Amino acid sequence: PDGGSVAIRLWVPCLHNLRNASAGVGVVIALGGRAEPALEALENFSGVGRRFDLLGEFGGVVIVDDYAHHPTELKATLAAARQAYPHRRLVALFQPHLYSRTREHHDAMGEALAAADLAIVTDVYPSREQPVPGITGDLVASAVGRHGGTVRYEPERASLAKHVALLLNRGDVLFALGAGDINRASLEIRDLLEAR
C-alpha cells in the first residue's frame, strides 16, 4: 500500500507457488499485518509431502513424487516440471485414481499427460470403488496418443518398476503422479536405478 516492494524467496519451485505466496503476503498486508514475518515463514517453507516432492537423483535420474490425479493438477504439475527442469527429458508415470474419475476425465488426463516427453500409464487404482468393465488405464494412455504424446501403457503393477527403470536414461526427470500407491513404485524404481 505504501508503494514499496518486497522480495519473496521460496524453496518450493515454480510459478504457481510464487503466485500463491504473493497472494498470501498481499492478504497479510490487506488485513493490517506485517509483511516481514510472512516473508520469513515463506522462505522457511519446504513444501508438503507428495506435492512436487523431490526424492533425489538416482543413477542420473531425478525422481519427483506428486499427488496430482485429476486433469487440472496434472497440467499444473507438468507445467511446473518444465519450469524446474527445462532442459531435461520429462517422463510422467501416471496411475489413474478411481474408475469413476477415469471414465469421466480420461481424455483430459491424456491431454495433460501429452505435455511430457514420455507418459507411462498404469492401471486404475480402485481405492473405494469396484472395477467397471471397460474402464482401465488404457483409456488414459490412448488419450495421450490422440493428443500427440508419446505413451506406454504398463498395466501390471507387479512389473511396473522394472519396465519403467528400463525406459529411463541418465539426465531424465521422472514424475510419479497419482493418488494411489504410485509413490511405492517410485521407491522401487529408485532402488533399481541405484543398483544399475
Side-chain angles (χ1 to χ4, degrees):
D2 63 1
S5 63
V6 296
I8 297 176
R9 292 179 180 84
L10 299 175
W11 286 101
V12 293
C14 305
L15 185 59
H16 68 279
N17 285 317
L18 182 59
R19 288 177 178 150
N20 290 341
S22 298
V25 172
V27 168
V28 167
I29 293 169
L31 294 174
R34 294 181 348 175
E36 292 76 19
L39 293 168
E40 184 178 332
L42 287 168
E43 188 169 356
N44 292 319
F45 178 66
S46 61
V48 296
R50 301 223 56 224
R51 289 295 186 187
F52 220 99
D53 193 359
L54 175 64
L55 300 182
E57 187 163 339
F58 310 95
V61 176
V62 171
I63 300 178
V64 180
D65 181 46
D66 198 281
Y67 193 74
H69 60 282
H70 62 72
T72 303
E73 289 177 342
L74 290 169
K75 193 174 196 176
T77 300
L78 293 174
R82 286 283 183 213
Q83 291 170 3
Y85 302 99
H87 304 295
R88 297 181 85 162
R89 185 173 83 133
L90 176 59
V91 179
L93 171 59
F94 179 62
Q95 180 185 50
H97 184 254
L98 301 177
Y99 293 101
S100 57
R101 184 177 291 125
T102 303
R103 180 184 59 232
E104 298 300 319
H105 301 289
H106 64 273
D107 190 66
M109 290 172 179
E111 182 178 14
L113 290 166
D117 295 304
L118 172 63
I120 304 164
V121 180
T122 192
D123 215 357
V124 178
Y125 185 82
S127 189
R128 62 191 175 271
E129 295 183 341
Q130 295 300 310
V132 176
I135 305 301
T136 68
D138 189 43
L139 289 172
V140 178
S142 295
V144 173
R146 280 195 309 277
H147 289 282
T150 302
V151 64
R152 290 277 304 258
Y153 179 49
E154 296 287 346
E156 297 300 323
R157 175 62 186 86
S159 58
L160 180 64
K162 179 182 168 190
H163 290 159
V164 172
L166 291 172
L167 295 170
L168 294 171
N169 302 311
R170 185 171 287 281
D172 287 351
V173 178
L174 173 68
F175 270 75
L177 305 164
D181 66 355
I182 198 66
N183 57 322
R184 291 185 191 159
S186 62
L187 297 176
E188 294 164 12
I189 294 164
R190 173 201 65 191
D191 293 345
L192 291 168
L193 292 173
E194 283 186 318
R196 73 177 182 186

